Amino acid sequence: MFCALGTAVCFGTASVLQAVAARATAPGSGSGVDAVLLMRVVRQWRYVAGLALDAVGFVLEVAALRLIPIYAVGAALASSLAVTAVTASRVLRTRLSGIEWAAVLTVCGGLGLLGLASGAEGHETGSMALKVGTLCVGFAVLAIGAAGGRLPGRARPAVLGLGAGVGFGVVEVAVRLVDDVSPAAVLTNPAAYAVLVGGGSAFLLLTSALQRGSVTAATAGMVIGETLGPSLVGVIWLGDRTREGLAPMAVAGFVLAVLGALALARFGEAPTETVPLSEGADELGPGGVREEQGGA
């Protein structure tokens, strides 16, 4: 659980750095799978620093997935929004409302319950069909990006964010399906390729969603995509369980952590600058365009 929380700290801090870099970058091709935008944004040191933190977080994530159930790791990853919110409030002087501070505490409480209730990870290694299916889902994320990039309005970032969440979820599941790390076994395991395809696709979609569109819609979709599906796969096919008699506590902790993260969805990308807003006013969206306020 400490590894999972370390992952959340790394990912949450990286989001602040990458947010500033993405908004300072000229638009790319406008596609949902926008390699041009990615090539431009990686030239900024803040984005590179964020990627370095992402790399450290990924190592901690792999360690966590080897020790605790996927549902606990997924909830911890969603909690990175709480880290982003607190970091943005300090670094970018973004003001958190009382409700958002309550959401941060809710996330922490939910993770505490999960930490107490989670058992060891399941010992099922997954069938070859599950490994191939995970790789297929990774490729499907690219198709979601291509289709989502053509959608208008708030539908675009919502679909791209959900697709990115599914891609990150593919990584969570695939890491558990790589049971033998010898070179020969890795090269013949479809799940090993799913890690690369799912992770790479997710980064492309999330960068496109956050560069132009509603941050709240994109992040809410991502949280749902990276928590629900992988958690069900872990319980149904990989044998993830809770401590004896503590299943209700684990469910409550998971729900609280995810709901708290959704309440903080606007911090999926911290703004580069904030302006005073009167209650009920519109909020500055990407590129300085005002967008309608909305919660997750």
Side-chain angles (χ1 to χ4, degrees):
M1 202 66 189
F2 280 114
C3 289
L5 294 176
T7 299
V9 171
C10 289
F11 287 173
T13 306
S15 293
V16 176
L17 296 172
Q18 291 167 340
V20 176
R23 286 295 173 87
T25 302
S29 66
S31 168
V33 184
D34 197 342
V36 175
L37 173 62
L38 188 62
M39 291 301 295
R40 288 177 178 173
V41 78
V42 294
R43 298 173 186 172
Q44 299 204 35
W45 70 267
R46 291 182 183 86
Y47 196 86
V48 174
L51 289 179
L53 282 173
D54 283 334
V56 175
F58 178 71
V59 172
L60 293 173
E61 179 186 357
V62 170
L65 287 166
R66 295 291 184 178
L67 297 170
I68 60 176
I70 293 177
Y71 62 78
V73 178
L77 293 180
S79 75
S80 65
L81 287 173
V83 177
T84 300
V86 174
T87 302
S89 71
R90 303 302 182 191
V91 176
L92 301 178
R93 304 190 185 282
T94 301
R95 183 175 301 175
L96 272 67
S97 67
I99 293 177
E100 288 167 338
W101 278 116
V104 171
L105 294 177
T106 299
V107 168
C108 294
L111 290 176
L113 292 176
L114 269 177
L116 293 173
S118 297
E121 90 286 2
H123 298 294
E124 301 294 331
T125 57
S127 64
M128 180 56 69
L130 181 59
K131 295 174 182 178
V132 173
T134 302
L135 177 59
C136 291
V137 173
F139 281 113
V141 171
L142 291 173
I144 293 173
R150 299 189 181 97
L151 295 175
R154 293 176 68 88
R156 181 182 187 274
V159 171
L160 291 178
L162 179 62
V166 172
F168 289 131
V170 165
V171 174
E172 295 173 42
V173 174
V175 166
R176 281 282 298 278
L177 296 177
V178 181
D179 52 319
D180 186 346
V181 294
S182 64
V186 168
L187 290 174
T188 56
N189 188 341
Y193 299 99
V195 173
L196 301 177
V197 175
S201 302
F203 265 113
L204 283 172
L205 266 64
L206 187 59
T207 301
S208 296
L210 296 182
Q211 204 273 341
R212 189 183 65 181
S214 167
V215 171
T216 301
T219 308
M222 183 187 70
V223 169
I224 292 171
E226 72 179 354
T227 54
L228 299 185
S231 299
L232 290 175
V233 171
V235 171
I236 296 173
W237 285 291
L238 299 179
D240 288 347
R241 295 293 181 267
T242 64
R243 296 181 188 274
E244 189 67 29
L246 296 183
M249 181 186 291
V251 172
F254 180 85
V255 171
L256 286 173
V258 173
L259 289 180
L262 289 174
L264 296 167
R266 77 181 179 96
F267 291 97
E269 184 197 29
T272 55
E273 63 177 334
T274 56
V275 294
L277 296 174
S278 60
E279 187 173 353
D282 288 344
E283 164 179 54
L284 281 180
V289 179
R290 291 191 175 276
E291 66 180 16
E292 187 177 326
Q293 276 190 331

